[in-house]
Amino acid sequence: MVKHNFYAGPSILPREVIESTADAVLNFNDSGLSVLEISHRSKDFQAVMDEARSLFHELLSIPENYTVLLLGGGASMEFCRVPFNFLKTKAAYLDTGTWAHKAIQEAAAFGEVDVIGSSKDQKYKCLPKGYVIPADADYLHYTTNNTVYGTEFLEDIESPIPLIADMSSDIFSRPIDVSKYICIYGGAQKNLAPSGLSFIIVRNDALGKMQRHIPTILDYKVHVDKESMFHTPPALPIYSALQTLRWIKKEGGVKVMQDRAIERAELLYNEIERNAMFEGTVVKEDRSRMNICFVFKPEYVELEKEFLDFTLAKGIVGIKGHRTTGGFRASCYNAMPISGVQVLVDAMKEFEQKHVK
Ligand SMILES: *Cc1c(COP(=O)(O)O)cnc(C)c1O
């Protein structure tokens, strides 16, 4: 049966990315060797690293004075590396839920952390509004897409101080103005590659300004100077990332990814609003295009398990909501075709016909 993969992460990748990765595991570049067993210093792997980093620049229009790093870790690793490298005395953070909160907790060990806005009191069903960005902070950190709660900043924040963003779950889903940021980072496993990999886009001149000792492996400058090859990188996820980047380019780039994201989100949110049994959990203007959260109206909540079984029988996988929020979450990353969302919408309609009171 065809599967429709709505997992939040690790998550759907284009089928051809998975196939070319599988091919390279068996026989990389017709070398008779697997990508799993070649030196990361070999010419063939160096070419993978170089092309992946240069496609980042091309697809996101990253200016020349920035460096793209592909390092082992994941977004949680960068929650720590970011303040190590950028927090001198004070940083401003926006609290928009689970991941933002973890970034805040990590930064608090490095200096003053000013949480200038939080939607905690609204149970993170919206983004913080009306916050004031302090001019004396080293940076403003925010999470562009809140994977757990389903809210998203659909545009770069206007800020008088440099921005740093966790873009784990919406990177490559819209054009961004990289020049507003000194650092953009994320775990690769939402929209790019298998897990184990961090991507970091860093402005070169923002580095090397710390008084504190930074352990070598945590020092972005070391990785910049070594062009992301300071030590053995996670070769297989980087190989897959390259396949995804080529796929995005072939499909027409991030603007096309954005158009598709808008189309998918409209289709599903419209059905959530129309359907008499469901309701969305996020205020309309802050709804994520990547992670679409919804619940049964109170009179139908006892049907949750039945709905999950019903949709599973149609090949729909991964729509159970996060354990902190309950309900449902359909993650619609770049690789999700509109036809997959249509299958979910049709299932919601059919379920309504059977069960609506
Ligand atoms: C998944 C996720 C993380 C955590 O990523 P890890 O690679 O597991 O550390 C952090 N931030 C956001 C926005 C995420 O979606």
Side-chain angles (χ1 to χ4, degrees):
M1 193 203 323
V2 181
K3 293 293 168 82
H4 308 285
N5 179 1
F6 290 95
Y7 276 123
S11 40
I12 186 169
L13 290 170
R15 190 66 207 169
E16 58 196 79
V17 169
I18 293 173
E19 282 168 3
S20 50
T21 302
D23 289 346
V25 167
L26 294 171
N27 181 8
F28 173 53
N29 278 1
D30 264 331
S31 61
L33 295 168
S34 168
V35 69
L36 302 177
E37 59 179 352
I38 55 163
S39 167
H40 62 294
R41 307 275 175 208
S42 65
K43 198 162 88 341
D44 282 356
F45 186 77
Q46 187 65 56
V48 170
M49 180 63 109
D50 293 346
E51 187 185 342
R53 294 171 71 221
S54 94
L55 279 173
F56 258 81
H57 274 273
E58 183 180 336
L59 292 168
L60 294 175
S61 306
I62 301 173
E64 283 296 311
N65 56 329
Y66 286 72
T67 300
V68 175
L69 302 175
L70 299 172
L71 307 180
S76 303
M77 180 83 232
E78 309 322 315
F79 293 165
C80 154
R81 273 199 274 230
V82 159
F84 239 127
N85 284 271
F86 297 112
L87 205 174
K88 292 192 201 91
T89 51
K90 176 168 124 175
Y93 275 70
L94 284 175
D95 173 25
T96 51
T98 310
W99 297 116
H101 181 69
K102 290 194 179 187
I104 289 166
Q105 281 181 318
E106 201 65 35
F110 296 87
E112 187 189 337
V113 171
D114 188 355
V115 180
I116 59 167
S118 172
S119 46
K120 189 172 182 201
D121 290 347
Q122 290 84 42
K123 299 205 170 72
Y124 300 118
K125 289 177 192 319
C126 58
L127 295 171
K129 309 270 154 59
Y131 48 84
V132 178
I133 303 171
D136 62 342
D138 298 320
Y139 60 83
L140 168 61
H141 177 284
Y142 73 120
T143 314
T144 48
N145 181 64
N146 297 286
T147 323
V148 173
Y149 291 94
T151 59
E152 185 177 10
F153 291 88
L154 296 168
E155 283 165 21
D156 307 305
I157 288 181
E158 288 298 331
S159 168
I161 58 174
L163 294 171
I164 296 184
D166 172 0
M167 295 198 186
S168 293
S169 52
D170 63 351
I171 189 81
F172 296 112
S173 72
R174 65 173 172 92
I176 46 179
D177 180 356
V178 175
S179 70
K180 289 188 167 159
Y181 298 83
I182 49 172
C183 181
I184 294 169
Y185 68 87
Q189 71 273 21
K190 309 285 164 57
N191 229 349
L192 187 63
S195 61
L197 180 67
S198 288
F199 61 84
I200 301 120
I201 304 164
V202 63
R203 203 178 75 199
N204 300 333
D205 68 356
L207 295 173
K209 299 194 166 152
M210 281 304 133
Q211 297 298 321
R212 69 168 66 92
H213 168 73
I214 306 176
T216 318
I217 193 74
L218 302 180
D219 189 345
Y220 286 141
K221 184 149 189 344
V222 169
H223 295 286
V224 167
D225 291 346
K226 296 286 180 187
E227 304 198 327
S228 205
M229 281 284 212
F230 167 66
H231 73 138
T232 321
L236 190 70
I238 291 171
Y239 185 85
S240 293
L242 171 60
Q243 307 311 307
T244 303
L245 295 164
R246 285 180 179 167
W247 176 83
I248 295 170
K249 182 174 173 177
K250 190 191 72 183
E251 297 294 306
V254 288
K255 188 70 188 64
V256 170
M257 295 297 127
Q258 182 180 37
D259 293 343
R260 291 181 189 173
I262 291 170
E263 198 189 346
R264 286 187 303 259
E266 272 179 11
L267 178 61
L268 187 47
Y269 282 123
N270 285 345
E271 174 59 17
I272 293 166
E273 283 177 10
R274 187 212 60 79
N275 195 304
M277 297 182 73
F278 297 96
E279 58 192 12
T281 58
V282 170
V283 302
K284 198 163 180 171
E285 70 268 21
D286 295 334
R287 293 188 310 203
S288 169
R289 293 176 187 143
M290 297 286 106
N291 309 98
I292 298 177
C293 296
F294 55 104
V295 291
F296 272 125
K297 289 182 179 162
E299 61 268 39
Y300 297 112
V301 276
E302 77 283 2
L303 291 173
E304 261 187 31
K305 171 85 173 60
E306 188 166 343
F307 182 66
L308 287 173
D309 291 342
F310 177 79
T311 49
L312 189 61
K314 296 178 182 301
I316 295 167
V317 179
I319 60 164
K320 194 175 186 334
H322 189 271
R323 59 189 186 278
T324 58
T325 55
F328 310 102
R329 170 177 54 174
S331 297
C332 299
Y333 296 119
N334 283 343
M336 171 59 68
I338 189 84
S339 57
V341 180
Q342 189 64 54
V343 171
L344 175 57
V345 164
D346 291 345
M348 291 165 74
K349 290 191 166 128
E350 198 184 327
F351 199 79
E352 180 191 34
Q353 275 162 14
K354 275 192 182 156
H355 294 281
V356 76
K357 291 178 201 163

